[in-house]
Amino acid sequence: MRVLSKLMLAAAMLAGAVAGAQAQDKTPVKLGAIEILTGPNSRYGIAIQRGFDLALADINKAGGVLGGRPLALAYEDSAGAKEQALNAARKLIGRDRVPLILGPTLSNEMFAAGPVANERKVPIVGTSTTANGITAIGPYVFRTAMPEADVIPVTLKTAQSKFGIKRVAVMYGNDDAFTKSAYDVMKATLEKLGIQVLTTETFGSKDTDFSAQLTKIKGLNPDAIVLSALVEAASGIALQARQLGIDPKVFIIGGNGLNSPKLGEIAGASADGTIVGSPWFIGKKDPANQAFVAAFREKYGDSPDQFAAQAYDTLFIVAKAIDAAGAPDSEKIKDALIKVKHTGVMGPFSFSESRDPADTSGVVVLTMKGGKFQLLE
């Protein structure tokens, strides 16, 4: 008994020493982040970076992770290029030895970088990657962004029931995984709802002239244009549609790429009437969301969008996983992530078994008026 007591005492002292060492360890826990910080689609990546940085300040102000270690982010600019995102993932894993990567921004980039992270057994968490097949890349690939397959059907069904749309023209970017995936969902949903597709027109992500497609669409007189595009192309399409005389009553129903305040800033009144679905809305009245919006405006002098909100919540989700893992260890963080439950500015969040968002009840449908999105009522 005396020997057993001594062993138990020694074990307790060792555990206390380890705990003490952990408590005294102030080494930053550095994570990687791959985002579009330059180039045409940087408006997405910069919004995400701002959401991360705001969350980072809040987390560290509250004590960081693992009993007092500050959290840090190492950013890599992908510039929207698949090869650059791939190289960034290799660099963050190989040189910086990060235990987890946030991003990349676009689904195209995740299809390039995700397999590398998965092969190296480093969890990678997309906050804006909504294409089909993202988490199918492998068990280390997560996303907090709600897939288009969950949002687009709500958007189209709402538009049908409210406006009685029966005939539409469809346009989509055919050289981008994100816009092509959203189009696939649109096509299947329109068929399911019994809405007639008069024509399907394609364009490239770098195109700036859409007059040929829109002239054809004008002649067909649809009830709406169903559009899958990134915000730059979407803005050009909205502007040119009105310049060509397509009636504003022929509104645009968009996928997630249109869900940015930049649409109104670029296209102005031409974007009025645009309808999109979103898992988040700036006007949500709950205190957490209003505090986030106020803090974001104070720090950046601008309003947050969905991408900033998703990034903000994601860093808290990841911080919870690191605490639950007990160490900045990739395998332990991966196992902890799937169990995390968090209520943030997006509302309640948890991962499904497939590492996608488990709860789709928060989807709202928005419309643009006066260059600003508001709830469709």
Side-chain angles (χ1 to χ4, degrees), residues 123-158:
I124 185 167
V125 184
T127 71
S128 55
T129 45
T130 57
N132 289 336
I134 291 292
T135 54
I137 292 170
Y140 291 81
V141 181
F142 294 73
R143 65 172 158 193
T144 54
M146 199 171 290
E148 293 275 63
D150 289 331
V151 178
I152 287 172
V154 176
T155 312
L156 287 171
K157 189 174 181 179
T158 300

Short mmCIF file of all heavy atoms in Angstrom, two decimals, residues 123-158:
data_model
loop_
_atom_site.label_atom_id
_atom_site.label_comp_id
_atom_site.label_asym_id
_atom_site.label_seq_id
_atom_site.Cartn_x
_atom_site.Cartn_y
_atom_site.Cartn_z
N PRO A 123 -5.52 18.82 -41.05
CA PRO A 123 -6.88 19.29 -41.32
C PRO A 123 -6.88 20.63 -42.03
O PRO A 123 -6.06 21.50 -41.74
CB PRO A 123 -7.52 19.38 -39.94
CG PRO A 123 -6.41 19.30 -38.96
CD PRO A 123 -5.27 18.61 -39.61
N ILE A 124 -7.80 20.76 -42.98
CA ILE A 124 -7.95 22.00 -43.75
C ILE A 124 -9.43 22.36 -43.73
O ILE A 124 -10.29 21.51 -43.97
CB ILE A 124 -7.39 21.83 -45.18
CG1 ILE A 124 -7.42 23.16 -45.95
CG2 ILE A 124 -8.09 20.73 -45.95
CD1 ILE A 124 -6.60 23.13 -47.25
N VAL A 125 -9.73 23.62 -43.41
CA VAL A 125 -11.11 24.04 -43.17
C VAL A 125 -11.47 25.17 -44.12
O VAL A 125 -10.96 26.28 -43.99
CB VAL A 125 -11.31 24.50 -41.71
CG1 VAL A 125 -12.78 24.83 -41.46
CG2 VAL A 125 -10.83 23.44 -40.73
N GLY A 126 -12.34 24.90 -45.08
CA GLY A 126 -12.81 25.93 -45.99
C GLY A 126 -13.97 26.70 -45.39
O GLY A 126 -14.90 26.10 -44.86
N THR A 127 -13.90 28.03 -45.49
CA THR A 127 -14.99 28.85 -44.96
C THR A 127 -15.88 29.40 -46.07
O THR A 127 -16.90 30.01 -45.79
CB THR A 127 -14.44 30.05 -44.15
OG1 THR A 127 -13.84 30.99 -45.05
CG2 THR A 127 -13.42 29.59 -43.13
N SER A 128 -15.49 29.19 -47.33
CA SER A 128 -16.25 29.76 -48.45
C SER A 128 -16.31 28.82 -49.65
O SER A 128 -16.65 29.23 -50.75
CB SER A 128 -15.61 31.09 -48.88
OG SER A 128 -14.24 30.92 -49.18
N THR A 129 -15.97 27.56 -49.44
CA THR A 129 -15.92 26.58 -50.52
C THR A 129 -17.23 25.78 -50.53
O THR A 129 -17.42 24.88 -49.74
CB THR A 129 -14.73 25.63 -50.33
OG1 THR A 129 -14.68 25.22 -48.95
CG2 THR A 129 -13.42 26.34 -50.66
N THR A 130 -18.12 26.13 -51.47
CA THR A 130 -19.48 25.59 -51.43
C THR A 130 -19.79 24.58 -52.54
O THR A 130 -20.91 24.09 -52.63
CB THR A 130 -20.50 26.74 -51.53
OG1 THR A 130 -20.26 27.48 -52.74
CG2 THR A 130 -20.38 27.67 -50.34
N ALA A 131 -18.82 24.26 -53.38
CA ALA A 131 -19.07 23.33 -54.49
C ALA A 131 -19.31 21.91 -53.98
O ALA A 131 -18.86 21.53 -52.89
CB ALA A 131 -17.89 23.33 -55.46
N ASN A 132 -20.02 21.13 -54.77
CA ASN A 132 -20.20 19.72 -54.45
C ASN A 132 -18.85 19.01 -54.46
O ASN A 132 -17.99 19.32 -55.28
CB ASN A 132 -21.13 19.05 -55.46
CG ASN A 132 -22.57 19.50 -55.32
OD1 ASN A 132 -22.98 19.93 -54.25
ND2 ASN A 132 -23.34 19.40 -56.38
N GLY A 133 -18.68 18.06 -53.55
CA GLY A 133 -17.49 17.20 -53.57
C GLY A 133 -16.32 17.70 -52.75
O GLY A 133 -15.27 17.05 -52.73
N ILE A 134 -16.45 18.83 -52.07
CA ILE A 134 -15.32 19.39 -51.32
C ILE A 134 -14.88 18.42 -50.22
O ILE A 134 -13.72 18.02 -50.15
CB ILE A 134 -15.67 20.76 -50.72
CG1 ILE A 134 -15.80 21.80 -51.82
CG2 ILE A 134 -14.61 21.19 -49.69
CD1 ILE A 134 -14.54 22.15 -52.54
N THR A 135 -15.79 18.04 -49.33
CA THR A 135 -15.38 17.19 -48.21
C THR A 135 -15.14 15.74 -48.64
O THR A 135 -14.54 14.98 -47.89
CB THR A 135 -16.43 17.24 -47.08
OG1 THR A 135 -17.72 16.91 -47.60
CG2 THR A 135 -16.48 18.63 -46.46
N ALA A 136 -15.57 15.41 -49.85
CA ALA A 136 -15.28 14.07 -50.38
C ALA A 136 -13.81 13.90 -50.73
O ALA A 136 -13.34 12.79 -50.98
CB ALA A 136 -16.15 13.78 -51.61
N ILE A 137 -13.06 15.01 -50.72
CA ILE A 137 -11.62 14.94 -50.99
C ILE A 137 -10.94 14.00 -50.01
O ILE A 137 -10.03 13.26 -50.37
CB ILE A 137 -10.98 16.35 -50.92
CG1 ILE A 137 -11.48 17.21 -52.09
CG2 ILE A 137 -9.46 16.27 -50.94
CD1 ILE A 137 -11.11 18.68 -51.98
N GLY A 138 -11.38 14.04 -48.74
CA GLY A 138 -10.79 13.15 -47.75
C GLY A 138 -11.15 13.53 -46.34
O GLY A 138 -11.72 14.60 -46.09
N PRO A 139 -10.82 12.68 -45.37
CA PRO A 139 -11.25 12.87 -43.98
C PRO A 139 -10.63 14.05 -43.26
O PRO A 139 -11.07 14.38 -42.16
CB PRO A 139 -10.86 11.54 -43.31
CG PRO A 139 -9.76 10.99 -44.15
CD PRO A 139 -10.09 11.41 -45.55
N TYR A 140 -9.62 14.69 -43.83
CA TYR A 140 -9.01 15.85 -43.19
C TYR A 140 -9.56 17.17 -43.75
O TYR A 140 -9.11 18.24 -43.37
CB TYR A 140 -7.48 15.80 -43.35
CG TYR A 140 -6.86 14.69 -42.53
CD1 TYR A 140 -6.84 13.38 -43.00
CD2 TYR A 140 -6.33 14.93 -41.27
CE1 TYR A 140 -6.31 12.35 -42.24
CE2 TYR A 140 -5.79 13.91 -40.51
CZ TYR A 140 -5.79 12.62 -41.00
OH TYR A 140 -5.26 11.60 -40.25
N VAL A 141 -10.53 17.06 -44.67
CA VAL A 141 -11.10 18.24 -45.31
C VAL A 141 -12.47 18.56 -44.69
O VAL A 141 -13.38 17.74 -44.73
CB VAL A 141 -11.24 18.05 -46.83
CG1 VAL A 141 -11.83 19.30 -47.48
CG2 VAL A 141 -9.88 17.70 -47.45
N PHE A 142 -12.57 19.77 -44.11
CA PHE A 142 -13.80 20.25 -43.48
C PHE A 142 -14.24 21.52 -44.18
O PHE A 142 -13.45 22.18 -44.86
CB PHE A 142 -13.55 20.59 -42.00
CG PHE A 142 -13.21 19.42 -41.12
CD1 PHE A 142 -11.96 18.81 -41.19
CD2 PHE A 142 -14.12 18.95 -40.18
CE1 PHE A 142 -11.63 17.75 -40.36
CE2 PHE A 142 -13.80 17.89 -39.34
CZ PHE A 142 -12.56 17.30 -39.43
N ARG A 143 -15.49 21.89 -43.97
CA ARG A 143 -15.93 23.22 -44.38
C ARG A 143 -17.03 23.74 -43.46
O ARG A 143 -17.88 22.97 -43.00
CB ARG A 143 -16.38 23.26 -45.83
CG ARG A 143 -17.62 22.44 -46.16
CD ARG A 143 -18.07 22.73 -47.58
NE ARG A 143 -18.89 21.65 -48.12
CZ ARG A 143 -19.18 21.54 -49.41
NH1 ARG A 143 -18.75 22.42 -50.27
NH2 ARG A 143 -19.94 20.53 -49.84
N THR A 144 -16.97 25.03 -43.21
CA THR A 144 -18.02 25.68 -42.42
C THR A 144 -18.99 26.42 -43.33
O THR A 144 -20.02 26.91 -42.87
CB THR A 144 -17.41 26.68 -41.42
OG1 THR A 144 -16.57 27.60 -42.14
CG2 THR A 144 -16.57 25.94 -40.37
N ALA A 145 -18.66 26.53 -44.61
CA ALA A 145 -19.55 27.16 -45.58
C ALA A 145 -20.66 26.18 -45.95
O ALA A 145 -20.40 25.00 -46.23
CB ALA A 145 -18.77 27.53 -46.84
N MET A 146 -21.88 26.68 -45.97
CA MET A 146 -23.01 25.83 -46.33
C MET A 146 -22.97 25.54 -47.83
O MET A 146 -22.87 26.46 -48.64
CB MET A 146 -24.32 26.51 -45.95
CG MET A 146 -25.49 25.55 -45.86
SD MET A 146 -26.94 26.38 -45.15
CE MET A 146 -26.39 26.60 -43.46
N PRO A 147 -23.04 24.27 -48.24
CA PRO A 147 -22.97 23.94 -49.67
C PRO A 147 -24.10 24.59 -50.46
O PRO A 147 -25.21 24.77 -49.96
CB PRO A 147 -23.11 22.42 -49.67
CG PRO A 147 -22.73 21.98 -48.30
CD PRO A 147 -23.14 23.09 -47.39
N GLU A 148 -23.80 24.92 -51.71
CA GLU A 148 -24.83 25.46 -52.61
C GLU A 148 -26.02 24.52 -52.73
O GLU A 148 -27.16 24.96 -52.92
CB GLU A 148 -24.22 25.68 -54.00
CG GLU A 148 -23.16 26.75 -54.07
CD GLU A 148 -23.74 28.14 -54.25
OE1 GLU A 148 -24.48 28.58 -53.34
OE2 GLU A 148 -23.46 28.77 -55.27
N ALA A 149 -25.76 23.22 -52.59
CA ALA A 149 -26.84 22.24 -52.71
C ALA A 149 -27.89 22.42 -51.63
O ALA A 149 -29.04 21.96 -51.79
CB ALA A 149 -26.26 20.83 -52.65
N ASP A 150 -27.54 23.08 -50.53
CA ASP A 150 -28.50 23.35 -49.46
C ASP A 150 -29.19 24.70 -49.61
O ASP A 150 -30.33 24.88 -49.17
CB ASP A 150 -27.79 23.30 -48.09
CG ASP A 150 -27.38 21.91 -47.69
OD1 ASP A 150 -28.04 20.95 -48.11
OD2 ASP A 150 -26.37 21.77 -46.97
N VAL A 151 -28.48 25.67 -50.21
CA VAL A 151 -28.99 27.04 -50.25
C VAL A 151 -29.81 27.34 -51.51
O VAL A 151 -30.89 27.93 -51.44
CB VAL A 151 -27.82 28.05 -50.14
CG1 VAL A 151 -28.32 29.49 -50.23
CG2 VAL A 151 -27.07 27.84 -48.83
N ILE A 152 -29.32 26.92 -52.67
CA ILE A 152 -29.97 27.26 -53.94
C ILE A 152 -31.41 26.75 -54.02
O ILE A 152 -32.30 27.50 -54.46
CB ILE A 152 -29.12 26.76 -55.13
CG1 ILE A 152 -27.89 27.66 -55.27
CG2 ILE A 152 -29.93 26.78 -56.43
CD1 ILE A 152 -26.87 27.17 -56.29
N PRO A 153 -31.71 25.51 -53.60
CA PRO A 153 -33.12 25.07 -53.67
C PRO A 153 -34.06 25.95 -52.85
O PRO A 153 -35.19 26.21 -53.29
CB PRO A 153 -33.05 23.64 -53.10
CG PRO A 153 -31.67 23.18 -53.42
CD PRO A 153 -30.82 24.40 -53.24
N VAL A 154 -33.60 26.43 -51.69
CA VAL A 154 -34.43 27.33 -50.88
C VAL A 154 -34.68 28.64 -51.64
O VAL A 154 -35.80 29.16 -51.68
CB VAL A 154 -33.76 27.62 -49.52
CG1 VAL A 154 -34.57 28.64 -48.72
CG2 VAL A 154 -33.60 26.35 -48.71
N THR A 155 -33.64 29.16 -52.26
CA THR A 155 -33.74 30.42 -53.00
C THR A 155 -34.73 30.30 -54.16
O THR A 155 -35.63 31.14 -54.32
CB THR A 155 -32.36 30.83 -53.55
OG1 THR A 155 -31.38 30.74 -52.52
CG2 THR A 155 -32.39 32.24 -54.11
N LEU A 156 -34.58 29.27 -54.98
CA LEU A 156 -35.43 29.12 -56.16
C LEU A 156 -36.87 28.82 -55.78
O LEU A 156 -37.82 29.34 -56.40
CB LEU A 156 -34.87 28.01 -57.06
CG LEU A 156 -33.60 28.37 -57.83
CD1 LEU A 156 -33.01 27.15 -58.52
CD2 LEU A 156 -33.88 29.48 -58.85
N LYS A 157 -37.06 28.00 -54.76
CA LYS A 157 -38.42 27.67 -54.34
C LYS A 157 -39.13 28.91 -53.80
O LYS A 157 -40.32 29.13 -54.06
CB LYS A 157 -38.39 26.57 -53.28
CG LYS A 157 -39.77 26.01 -52.92
CD LYS A 157 -39.65 24.83 -51.98
CE LYS A 157 -41.04 24.27 -51.67
NZ LYS A 157 -40.96 23.09 -50.76
N THR A 158 -38.39 29.73 -53.04
CA THR A 158 -38.97 30.97 -52.51
C THR A 158 -39.34 31.92 -53.64
O THR A 158 -40.42 32.53 -53.64
CB THR A 158 -37.96 31.65 -51.56
OG1 THR A 158 -37.66 30.76 -50.48
CG2 THR A 158 -38.53 32.95 -51.00
#
